[in-house]
Amino acid sequence: MTDPVFQRQSKAIASSHRLQILDWLKDPRQHFAPQIDGDLVEDGVCAARIEEKLGLAQPTTARHLSVLVDAGLIVPKRIKQWTFYRRDETAIAMFRNSLANHL
Amino acid sequence: MTDPVFQRQSKAIASSHRLQILDWLKDPRQHFAPQIDGDLVEDGVCAARIEEKLGLAQPTTARHLSVLVDAGLIVPKRIKQWTFYRRDETAIAMFRNSLANHL
DNA sequence: ATCGAATATCCATATATTGCAATATCGCAT
DNA sequence: ATGCGATATTGCAATATATGGATATTCGAT
């Protein structure tokens, strides 16, 4: 009934900043310069790159990213001292289906 | 880019109570007893019926309903001293499409 | 005109979210 | 071990949202 996962996901997308992040991550190559230690598509985009593009402070950006991770919409990957984030397309597709049901 | 309508709609559904309301309104006859002054399907469901089913106070329920109205997801219809609410299926379908784009 | 029922609005409180500064942690290099 | 860059966490102020009591408004009935 009150699916907690769906709840977190719908709250996660109820923010323009987080929607912006999800949108950028659709096509990382189009929005971010190539990286050295992680492949933009395979591993995801470095948190620092997202931060500077967002224009918010580092802790704030980290919080937004963790909300998206907790909702299962993006996946973090730690490589050396960096964390890369990429979309979880499967989870997002399931969420879209859930929306079709709940709406 | 930051579509205000989409913003309000995604915030509107980021609430279990409001999702619950939207769900009940999918099939009013299944969830509510027949009404005298307004047809459950044609006109919508009386606010008082929604209120008692939700179990929240009258002002709180009214607020939730107005959030959904402001988002354009449901339509109010005033008949005599009652207000009936029904889903705006067209707007909801458009919202679902927007979600497909934004997600 | 007055009353009662239904709904909307106003106000105050409680909780949640957003934002940033400061700080802690992690991982690599020296 | 020390330092440095990147990320995570904490603490706090500002803002937003949720909730319900009190009140106003609306509308029909008397």
Side-chain angles (χ1 to χ4, degrees), chain A residues 2 6 14 26 38-39 49 57-58 62 78 88 91:
Chain A
T2 318
F6 183 80
K26 272 186 199 169
D39 181 77
R49 299 293 83 71
Q58 182 268 326
R78 184 85 176 185
D88 185 335

Side-chain angles (χ1 to χ4, degrees), chain A residues 1-2 6-7 10-11 13-17 19-20 22-23 26 73 87 89 92 95-96 99-103, chain B residues 1-2 6-7 10-11 13-17 19-20 22-23 26 73 87 89 92 95-96 99-103:
Chain A
M1 176 60 68
T2 318
F6 183 80
Q7 275 304 307
S10 46
K11 288 193 178 210
I13 66 165
S15 149
S16 56
H17 287 146
L19 272 176
Q20 178 68 86
L22 283 176
D23 188 64
K26 272 186 199 169
L73 297 175
R87 288 162 57 98
E89 295 295 355
I92 291 175
F95 177 43
R96 226 186 271 117
L99 279 164
N101 294 337
H102 288 263
L103 287 185
Chain B
M1 178 58 68
T2 316
F6 182 80
Q7 277 303 310
S10 48
K11 288 192 180 215
I13 66 164
S15 148
S16 56
H17 286 146
L19 273 175
Q20 177 70 84
L22 283 176
D23 188 64
K26 271 186 199 168
L73 297 175
R87 288 162 58 99
E89 295 295 353
I92 291 175
F95 177 43
R96 227 185 270 118
L99 280 164
N101 294 337
H102 288 266
L103 287 186

Side-chain angles (χ1 to χ4, degrees), chain B residues 28-29 38-45 77 79 84-86:
Chain B
R29 294 200 205 282
D39 181 76
L40 275 178
V41 175
E42 287 297 314
D43 307 308
V45 179
K77 182 171 187 178
I79 298 181
F84 299 90
Y85 294 92
R86 63 174 172 78

